[in-house]
Amino acid sequence: MTPAGRFAPSPSGELHVGNLRTAILAWLFARSTGRTFLMRVEDLDRARAGAEAVQLRDLAAIGVTWDGGVVRQTDREHLYAGAIARLTAAGLTYECFCTRREIQEAPSAPHAPQGAYPGTCRNLSEAERELKRAVRPAAIRLRAAVVEGTVQDLLHGSYAGVVDDFVLRRNDGVTAYNLAVVVDDAAQGIDQVVRGDDLLPSTPRQAYLARLLNMPLPEYAHVPLVVNADGVRLAKRDGAVTLADLALAGIGNDDVRDALLASLGLPAGRLENALAHFDPAALPRVPWVWPGGGSRGA
Ligand code: GLU
Protein backbone atom coordinates (compact mmCIF):
# COMPACT_ATOMS: atom_id res chain seq x y z
CA MET A 1 0.00 0.00 0.00
CA THR A 2 1.26 3.48 -0.82
CA PRO A 3 1.79 5.57 2.30
CA ALA A 4 -1.09 7.96 2.66
CA GLY A 5 -2.43 10.93 4.53
CA ARG A 6 -6.12 11.68 4.86
CA PHE A 7 -8.91 14.01 5.78
CA ALA A 8 -11.77 12.45 7.71
CA PRO A 9 -14.70 14.81 8.09
CA SER A 10 -17.84 13.99 10.07
CA PRO A 11 -20.79 14.88 7.83
CA SER A 12 -22.70 16.72 10.54
CA GLY A 13 -23.15 19.94 8.59
CA GLU A 14 -21.20 22.33 6.41
CA LEU A 15 -17.46 22.63 6.88
CA HIS A 16 -16.36 26.00 8.24
CA VAL A 17 -13.11 27.80 7.58
CA GLY A 18 -11.46 26.04 10.52
CA ASN A 19 -12.25 22.63 9.05
CA LEU A 20 -11.14 23.81 5.61
CA ARG A 21 -7.83 25.06 6.99
CA THR A 22 -7.20 21.70 8.64
CA ALA A 23 -8.01 19.97 5.33
CA ILE A 24 -5.53 22.19 3.48
CA LEU A 25 -2.88 21.35 6.07
CA ALA A 26 -3.54 17.62 5.83
CA TRP A 27 -3.28 17.89 2.04
CA LEU A 28 -0.02 19.88 2.25
CA PHE A 29 1.55 17.47 4.74
CA ALA A 30 0.64 14.47 2.57
CA ARG A 31 1.47 15.91 -0.84
CA SER A 32 4.74 17.50 0.29
CA THR A 33 5.94 14.11 1.50
CA GLY A 34 4.95 12.17 -1.62
CA ARG A 35 1.98 10.50 0.04
CA THR A 36 -1.35 9.82 -1.55
CA PHE A 37 -4.28 11.64 0.06
CA LEU A 38 -7.48 9.82 1.00
CA MET A 39 -10.94 11.08 1.88
CA ARG A 40 -12.87 9.20 4.53
CA VAL A 41 -16.34 10.23 5.62
CA GLU A 42 -16.83 9.48 9.31
CA ASP A 43 -20.56 8.94 9.17
CA LEU A 44 -21.06 6.48 12.02
CA ASP A 45 -22.95 9.08 13.98
CA ARG A 46 -23.90 12.75 13.68
CA ALA A 47 -24.48 12.30 9.92
CA ARG A 48 -26.90 14.80 8.42
CA ALA A 49 -28.60 14.09 5.10
CA GLY A 50 -26.89 15.96 2.28
CA ALA A 51 -23.95 17.17 4.36
CA GLU A 52 -21.40 14.83 2.81
CA ALA A 53 -22.01 16.09 -0.73
CA VAL A 54 -21.72 19.72 0.35
CA GLN A 55 -18.52 19.03 2.32
CA LEU A 56 -16.89 17.24 -0.60
CA ARG A 57 -17.93 19.98 -3.01
CA ASP A 58 -16.46 22.66 -0.72
CA LEU A 59 -13.20 20.77 -0.29
CA ALA A 60 -12.85 20.44 -4.06
CA ALA A 61 -13.73 24.14 -4.46
CA ILE A 62 -10.67 25.22 -2.47
CA GLY A 63 -8.41 22.76 -4.29
CA VAL A 64 -8.26 19.87 -1.81
CA THR A 65 -8.11 16.89 -4.17
CA TRP A 66 -8.03 13.25 -3.11
CA ASP A 67 -7.01 9.95 -4.62
CA GLY A 68 -9.50 7.19 -5.35
CA GLY A 69 -13.06 7.02 -4.14
CA VAL A 70 -14.53 8.33 -0.93
CA VAL A 71 -14.57 5.76 1.87
CA ARG A 72 -17.52 5.77 4.28
CA GLN A 73 -17.34 4.28 7.73
CA THR A 74 -20.91 2.98 7.55
CA ASP A 75 -19.67 0.58 4.81
CA ARG A 76 -16.96 -0.84 7.04
CA GLU A 77 -18.80 -2.31 10.01
CA HIS A 78 -17.31 -5.77 9.30
CA LEU A 79 -13.80 -4.40 9.89
CA TYR A 80 -14.76 -2.87 13.23
CA ALA A 81 -16.61 -6.01 14.32
CA GLY A 82 -13.54 -8.08 13.41
CA ALA A 83 -11.25 -5.90 15.52
CA ILE A 84 -13.60 -6.00 18.52
CA ALA A 85 -13.87 -9.79 18.15
CA ARG A 86 -10.06 -10.10 18.21
CA LEU A 87 -9.83 -7.96 21.34
CA THR A 88 -12.64 -9.92 22.99
CA ALA A 89 -10.98 -13.25 22.18
CA ALA A 90 -7.84 -11.91 23.89
CA GLY A 91 -9.83 -11.00 27.02
CA LEU A 92 -9.38 -7.29 26.34
CA THR A 93 -13.00 -6.14 26.38
CA TYR A 94 -15.92 -6.12 28.79
CA GLU A 95 -19.57 -5.18 28.78
CA CYS A 96 -20.48 -1.87 30.41
CA PHE A 97 -23.99 -0.95 31.49
CA CYS A 98 -23.30 2.49 32.94
CA THR A 99 -25.29 5.51 31.86
CA ARG A 100 -23.42 8.77 31.34
CA ARG A 101 -24.93 10.04 34.56
CA GLU A 102 -23.81 7.00 36.55
CA ILE A 103 -20.28 7.54 35.27
CA GLN A 104 -20.35 11.22 36.25
CA GLU A 105 -21.63 10.40 39.72
CA ALA A 106 -19.35 7.44 40.40
CA PRO A 107 -16.44 8.08 42.73
CA SER A 108 -13.30 8.00 40.61
CA ALA A 109 -11.11 4.96 41.03
CA PRO A 110 -7.97 5.40 43.13
CA HIS A 111 -5.08 6.72 41.00
CA ALA A 112 -7.41 7.13 38.01
CA PRO A 113 -6.75 10.33 36.07
CA GLN A 114 -9.43 12.97 35.67
CA GLY A 115 -11.96 12.04 33.03
CA ALA A 116 -11.14 8.33 33.06
CA TYR A 117 -13.90 5.71 33.22
CA PRO A 118 -14.15 4.75 36.92
CA GLY A 119 -14.19 1.00 36.20
CA THR A 120 -17.67 0.31 37.59
CA CYS A 121 -18.39 -2.61 35.23
CA ARG A 122 -14.84 -3.92 34.90
CA ASN A 123 -15.17 -6.83 37.29
CA LEU A 124 -18.84 -7.75 37.23
CA SER A 125 -19.65 -11.41 37.67
CA GLU A 126 -21.53 -13.22 34.93
CA ALA A 127 -24.59 -13.27 37.20
CA GLU A 128 -24.41 -9.48 37.68
CA ARG A 129 -24.03 -8.96 33.93
CA GLU A 130 -27.01 -11.20 33.29
CA LEU A 131 -29.17 -9.03 35.55
CA LYS A 132 -27.96 -5.80 33.97
CA ARG A 133 -28.49 -7.08 30.43
CA ALA A 134 -32.16 -7.38 31.23
CA VAL A 135 -32.28 -3.64 32.00
CA ARG A 136 -30.33 -2.16 29.12
CA PRO A 137 -28.00 -3.21 26.31
CA ALA A 138 -24.28 -3.18 27.03
CA ALA A 139 -21.59 -0.99 25.57
CA ILE A 140 -18.23 -2.68 24.93
CA ARG A 141 -15.20 -1.21 26.65
CA LEU A 142 -11.52 -1.88 26.27
CA ARG A 143 -9.83 -3.48 29.28
CA ALA A 144 -6.77 -1.24 29.35
CA ALA A 145 -3.68 -2.29 31.29
CA VAL A 146 -2.36 1.26 31.62
CA VAL A 147 -3.72 4.63 32.74
CA GLU A 148 -1.58 6.85 30.56
CA GLY A 149 0.18 6.74 27.22
CA THR A 150 2.63 8.90 25.30
CA VAL A 151 2.59 9.72 21.60
CA GLN A 152 5.02 11.63 19.42
CA ASP A 153 3.57 14.52 17.49
CA LEU A 154 5.31 16.52 14.77
CA LEU A 155 4.09 19.81 16.25
CA HIS A 156 3.63 18.99 19.95
CA GLY A 157 6.61 16.70 20.50
CA SER A 158 6.06 14.09 23.18
CA TYR A 159 2.48 14.19 24.48
CA ALA A 160 1.24 12.19 27.46
CA GLY A 161 -2.46 11.67 28.07
CA VAL A 162 -5.11 9.46 29.61
CA VAL A 163 -5.66 5.88 28.47
CA ASP A 164 -8.69 4.40 30.19
CA ASP A 165 -11.21 1.66 29.55
CA PHE A 166 -12.71 3.64 26.71
CA VAL A 167 -15.78 2.60 24.72
CA LEU A 168 -15.26 0.55 21.56
CA ARG A 169 -18.93 0.04 20.73
CA ARG A 170 -21.71 2.14 22.18
CA ASN A 171 -24.76 0.53 23.71
CA ASP A 172 -26.84 1.57 20.69
CA GLY A 173 -24.57 -0.66 18.57
CA VAL A 174 -22.64 2.18 16.92
CA THR A 175 -18.89 1.68 16.70
CA ALA A 176 -17.02 4.32 18.68
CA TYR A 177 -14.80 6.84 16.91
CA ASN A 178 -11.62 5.75 18.71
CA LEU A 179 -11.96 2.17 17.45
CA ALA A 180 -13.08 3.05 13.92
CA VAL A 181 -10.33 5.61 13.37
CA VAL A 182 -7.59 3.17 14.39
CA VAL A 183 -8.95 0.31 12.29
CA ASP A 184 -9.50 2.51 9.24
CA ASP A 185 -6.17 4.30 9.33
CA ALA A 186 -4.36 0.95 9.46
CA ALA A 187 -6.56 -0.73 6.84
CA GLN A 188 -6.15 2.18 4.44
CA GLY A 189 -2.37 2.35 4.80
CA ILE A 190 -2.57 5.78 6.40
CA ASP A 191 0.77 6.46 8.04
CA GLN A 192 0.28 10.20 8.60
CA VAL A 193 -2.59 11.66 10.60
CA VAL A 194 -3.03 15.43 10.41
CA ARG A 195 -6.06 16.82 12.24
CA GLY A 196 -7.19 19.51 14.66
CA ASP A 197 -5.41 19.63 17.99
CA ASP A 198 -8.72 19.20 19.82
CA LEU A 199 -8.17 15.50 19.06
CA LEU A 200 -4.71 15.31 20.63
CA PRO A 201 -6.12 14.15 24.02
CA SER A 202 -7.72 11.11 22.29
CA THR A 203 -4.49 10.12 20.60
CA PRO A 204 -2.79 8.17 23.44
CA ARG A 205 -5.93 6.00 23.59
CA GLN A 206 -5.82 5.41 19.85
CA ALA A 207 -2.11 4.62 19.84
CA TYR A 208 -2.57 2.17 22.71
CA LEU A 209 -5.38 0.43 20.83
CA ALA A 210 -3.33 0.28 17.61
CA ARG A 211 -0.55 -1.50 19.51
CA LEU A 212 -2.98 -4.02 21.00
CA LEU A 213 -4.27 -4.74 17.50
CA ASN A 214 -0.73 -5.04 16.11
CA MET A 215 -1.35 -2.15 13.80
CA PRO A 216 1.40 0.30 12.83
CA LEU A 217 1.31 3.74 14.41
CA PRO A 218 0.94 6.66 12.01
CA GLU A 219 2.92 9.83 12.44
CA TYR A 220 0.78 12.51 14.02
CA ALA A 221 0.52 16.25 13.44
CA HIS A 222 -2.16 17.98 15.48
CA VAL A 223 -2.64 21.43 14.04
CA PRO A 224 -3.94 24.56 15.77
CA LEU A 225 -7.61 25.36 15.42
CA VAL A 226 -9.25 28.49 14.11
CA VAL A 227 -10.91 30.54 16.86
CA ASN A 228 -13.28 33.48 17.00
CA ALA A 229 -12.42 36.90 18.41
CA ASP A 230 -13.15 35.59 21.92
CA GLY A 231 -10.56 32.85 21.49
CA VAL A 232 -13.23 30.15 21.34
CA ARG A 233 -13.11 27.42 18.72
CA LEU A 234 -14.88 28.66 15.59
CA ALA A 235 -18.45 27.45 15.14
CA LYS A 236 -21.30 28.06 12.76
CA ARG A 237 -22.82 30.61 15.14
CA ASP A 238 -19.79 32.85 14.56
CA GLY A 239 -21.39 34.33 11.47
CA ALA A 240 -20.18 33.86 7.90
CA VAL A 241 -17.80 30.93 8.28
CA THR A 242 -18.73 28.55 5.47
CA LEU A 243 -17.99 28.92 1.76
CA ALA A 244 -21.71 29.42 1.10
CA ASP A 245 -22.01 32.19 3.74
CA LEU A 246 -18.87 33.88 2.52
CA ALA A 247 -19.96 33.71 -1.13
CA LEU A 248 -23.13 35.56 -0.14
CA ALA A 249 -20.92 38.21 1.44
CA GLY A 250 -19.06 38.55 -1.88
CA ILE A 251 -15.99 36.55 -0.83
CA GLY A 252 -15.24 33.89 -3.43
CA ASN A 253 -13.80 30.42 -2.88
CA ASP A 254 -10.37 31.46 -4.16
CA ASP A 255 -10.33 34.40 -1.73
CA VAL A 256 -11.12 32.08 1.17
CA ARG A 257 -8.42 29.65 0.06
CA ASP A 258 -5.92 32.51 -0.21
CA ALA A 259 -6.83 33.85 3.24
CA LEU A 260 -6.31 30.39 4.73
CA LEU A 261 -2.97 30.02 2.93
CA ALA A 262 -1.92 33.49 4.14
CA SER A 263 -2.76 32.46 7.72
CA LEU A 264 -0.21 29.67 7.23
CA GLY A 265 2.41 32.01 5.83
CA LEU A 266 1.93 30.54 2.34
CA PRO A 267 1.51 32.30 -1.01
CA ALA A 268 -1.88 32.82 -2.61
CA GLY A 269 -2.97 30.67 -5.53
CA ARG A 270 -3.42 26.99 -6.20
CA LEU A 271 -2.48 24.67 -3.35
CA GLU A 272 0.10 23.04 -5.63
CA ASN A 273 1.99 26.35 -5.70
CA ALA A 274 2.18 26.38 -1.90
CA LEU A 275 3.89 22.97 -1.76
CA ALA A 276 7.37 24.30 -2.42
CA HIS A 277 6.95 26.81 0.43
CA PHE A 278 5.40 24.45 2.96
CA ASP A 279 7.61 23.85 5.98
CA PRO A 280 5.97 22.11 8.97
CA ALA A 281 8.66 23.52 11.28
CA ALA A 282 7.60 27.06 10.36
CA LEU A 283 3.88 26.52 10.96
CA PRO A 284 2.15 28.80 13.46
CA ARG A 285 1.73 26.93 16.76
CA VAL A 286 -1.10 29.06 18.05
CA PRO A 287 -4.76 29.18 17.02
CA TRP A 288 -5.60 31.49 14.18
CA VAL A 289 -8.19 34.14 14.93
CA TRP A 290 -10.73 34.27 12.13
CA PRO A 291 -10.77 37.91 11.07
CA GLY A 292 -14.30 37.73 9.67
CA GLY A 293 -16.17 37.59 12.93
CA GLY A 294 -15.86 40.22 15.58
CA SER A 295 -16.94 39.52 19.10
CA ARG A 296 -20.10 37.46 19.55
CA GLY A 297 -23.17 39.63 19.66
CA ALA A 298 -21.29 42.51 18.02
N1 GLU B 1 -14.15 12.93 12.08
C1 GLU B 1 -13.37 13.72 12.97
C2 GLU B 1 -13.83 15.15 12.93
O1 GLU B 1 -14.40 15.57 11.94
C3 GLU B 1 -11.89 13.70 12.64
C4 GLU B 1 -11.26 12.46 13.04
C5 GLU B 1 -9.79 12.35 12.69
O2 GLU B 1 -9.26 13.11 11.87
O3 GLU B 1 -9.19 11.43 13.26
O4 GLU B 1 -13.63 15.85 13.89
Side-chain angles (χ1 to χ4, degrees), residues 6 8-10 42 177 181 195 199:
R6 47 63 156 193
S10 300
E42 301 208 322
Y177 158 69
V181 75
R195 58 190 176 192
L199 289 168

PDB file of all heavy atoms in Angstrom, residues 6 8-10 42 177 181 195 199, ligand 1:
ATOM      1  N   ARG A   6      -4.657  11.685   5.067  1.00  0.00           N
ATOM      2  CA  ARG A   6      -6.116  11.678   4.861  1.00  0.00           C
ATOM      3  C   ARG A   6      -6.784  12.870   5.510  1.00  0.00           C
ATOM      4  O   ARG A   6      -6.214  13.539   6.378  1.00  0.00           O
ATOM      5  CB  ARG A   6      -6.724  10.373   5.367  1.00  0.00           C
ATOM      6  CG  ARG A   6      -6.305   9.864   6.765  1.00  0.00           C
ATOM      7  CD  ARG A   6      -6.665  10.737   7.866  1.00  0.00           C
ATOM      8  NE  ARG A   6      -6.783  10.084   9.157  1.00  0.00           N
ATOM      9  CZ  ARG A   6      -7.348  10.665  10.220  1.00  0.00           C
ATOM     10  NH1 ARG A   6      -7.790  11.903  10.147  1.00  0.00           N
ATOM     11  NH2 ARG A   6      -7.440  10.035  11.369  1.00  0.00           N
ATOM     12  N   ALA A   8     -10.697  13.350   7.266  1.00  0.00           N
ATOM     13  CA  ALA A   8     -11.768  12.449   7.712  1.00  0.00           C
ATOM     14  C   ALA A   8     -12.916  13.234   8.336  1.00  0.00           C
ATOM     15  O   ALA A   8     -13.146  13.176   9.546  1.00  0.00           O
ATOM     16  CB  ALA A   8     -11.199  11.434   8.703  1.00  0.00           C
ATOM     17  N   PRO A   9     -13.643  13.974   7.517  1.00  0.00           N
ATOM     18  CA  PRO A   9     -14.705  14.809   8.087  1.00  0.00           C
ATOM     19  C   PRO A   9     -15.909  14.003   8.579  1.00  0.00           C
ATOM     20  O   PRO A   9     -16.219  12.949   8.029  1.00  0.00           O
ATOM     21  CB  PRO A   9     -15.120  15.694   6.909  1.00  0.00           C
ATOM     22  CG  PRO A   9     -14.788  14.890   5.688  1.00  0.00           C
ATOM     23  CD  PRO A   9     -13.568  14.091   6.052  1.00  0.00           C
ATOM     24  N   SER A  10     -16.556  14.527   9.610  1.00  0.00           N
ATOM     25  CA  SER A  10     -17.841  13.988  10.067  1.00  0.00           C
ATOM     26  C   SER A  10     -18.931  14.795   9.364  1.00  0.00           C
ATOM     27  O   SER A  10     -18.956  16.022   9.496  1.00  0.00           O
ATOM     28  CB  SER A  10     -17.984  14.158  11.581  1.00  0.00           C
ATOM     29  OG  SER A  10     -16.947  13.463  12.231  1.00  0.00           O
ATOM     30  N   GLU A  42     -16.606  10.143   8.013  1.00  0.00           N
ATOM     31  CA  GLU A  42     -16.829   9.484   9.308  1.00  0.00           C
ATOM     32  C   GLU A  42     -18.295   9.655   9.703  1.00  0.00           C
ATOM     33  O   GLU A  42     -18.665  10.515  10.495  1.00  0.00           O
ATOM     34  CB  GLU A  42     -15.845  10.050  10.339  1.00  0.00           C
ATOM     35  CG  GLU A  42     -14.419   9.824   9.857  1.00  0.00           C
ATOM     36  CD  GLU A  42     -13.383   9.688  10.956  1.00  0.00           C
ATOM     37  OE1 GLU A  42     -13.481  10.398  11.969  1.00  0.00           O
ATOM     38  OE2 GLU A  42     -12.462   8.865  10.790  1.00  0.00           O
ATOM     39  N   TYR A 177     -15.820   6.167  17.732  1.00  0.00           N
ATOM     40  CA  TYR A 177     -14.804   6.844  16.911  1.00  0.00           C
ATOM     41  C   TYR A 177     -13.404   6.297  17.159  1.00  0.00           C
ATOM     42  O   TYR A 177     -12.654   6.022  16.213  1.00  0.00           O
ATOM     43  CB  TYR A 177     -14.870   8.355  17.191  1.00  0.00           C
ATOM     44  CG  TYR A 177     -13.617   9.105  16.850  1.00  0.00           C
ATOM     45  CD1 TYR A 177     -13.222   9.264  15.520  1.00  0.00           C
ATOM     46  CD2 TYR A 177     -12.796   9.627  17.847  1.00  0.00           C
ATOM     47  CE1 TYR A 177     -12.054   9.925  15.199  1.00  0.00           C
ATOM     48  CE2 TYR A 177     -11.629  10.290  17.534  1.00  0.00           C
ATOM     49  CZ  TYR A 177     -11.251  10.434  16.217  1.00  0.00           C
ATOM     50  OH  TYR A 177     -10.091  11.080  15.896  1.00  0.00           O
ATOM     51  N   VAL A 181     -11.415   4.820  13.950  1.00  0.00           N
ATOM     52  CA  VAL A 181     -10.331   5.605  13.368  1.00  0.00           C
ATOM     53  C   VAL A 181      -9.045   4.777  13.316  1.00  0.00           C
ATOM     54  O   VAL A 181      -8.295   4.810  12.329  1.00  0.00           O
ATOM     55  CB  VAL A 181     -10.156   6.938  14.136  1.00  0.00           C
ATOM     56  CG1 VAL A 181      -9.487   6.745  15.473  1.00  0.00           C
ATOM     57  CG2 VAL A 181      -9.403   7.958  13.327  1.00  0.00           C
ATOM     58  N   ARG A 195      -4.695  16.446  11.863  1.00  0.00           N
ATOM     59  CA  ARG A 195      -6.062  16.824  12.245  1.00  0.00           C
ATOM     60  C   ARG A 195      -5.997  17.907  13.311  1.00  0.00           C
ATOM     61  O   ARG A 195      -4.915  18.251  13.800  1.00  0.00           O
ATOM     62  CB  ARG A 195      -6.826  15.597  12.755  1.00  0.00           C
ATOM     63  CG  ARG A 195      -6.163  14.934  13.938  1.00  0.00           C
ATOM     64  CD  ARG A 195      -6.811  13.588  14.269  1.00  0.00           C
ATOM     65  NE  ARG A 195      -6.086  12.951  15.360  1.00  0.00           N
ATOM     66  CZ  ARG A 195      -6.245  11.694  15.731  1.00  0.00           C
ATOM     67  NH1 ARG A 195      -7.108  10.922  15.121  1.00  0.00           N
ATOM     68  NH2 ARG A 195      -5.541  11.204  16.732  1.00  0.00           N
ATOM     69  N   LEU A 199      -8.176  16.963  18.993  1.00  0.00           N
ATOM     70  CA  LEU A 199      -8.173  15.504  19.057  1.00  0.00           C
ATOM     71  C   LEU A 199      -6.896  14.939  19.674  1.00  0.00           C
ATOM     72  O   LEU A 199      -6.781  13.727  19.867  1.00  0.00           O
ATOM     73  CB  LEU A 199      -8.409  14.910  17.662  1.00  0.00           C
ATOM     74  CG  LEU A 199      -9.850  15.122  17.167  1.00  0.00           C
ATOM     75  CD1 LEU A 199      -9.987  14.789  15.697  1.00  0.00           C
ATOM     76  CD2 LEU A 199     -10.829  14.302  17.998  1.00  0.00           C
TER      77      LEU A 199
HETATM   78  N1  GLU B   1     -14.149  12.928  12.082  1.00  0.00           N
HETATM   79  C1  GLU B   1     -13.371  13.716  12.975  1.00  0.00           C
HETATM   80  C2  GLU B   1     -13.835  15.148  12.934  1.00  0.00           C
HETATM   81  O1  GLU B   1     -14.400  15.571  11.940  1.00  0.00           O
HETATM   82  C3  GLU B   1     -11.894  13.704  12.637  1.00  0.00           C
HETATM   83  C4  GLU B   1     -11.260  12.463  13.043  1.00  0.00           C
HETATM   84  C5  GLU B   1      -9.786  12.348  12.695  1.00  0.00           C
HETATM   85  O2  GLU B   1      -9.262  13.107  11.866  1.00  0.00           O
HETATM   86  O3  GLU B   1      -9.192  11.427  13.262  1.00  0.00           O
HETATM   87  O4  GLU B   1     -13.634  15.849  13.889  1.00  0.00           O
END
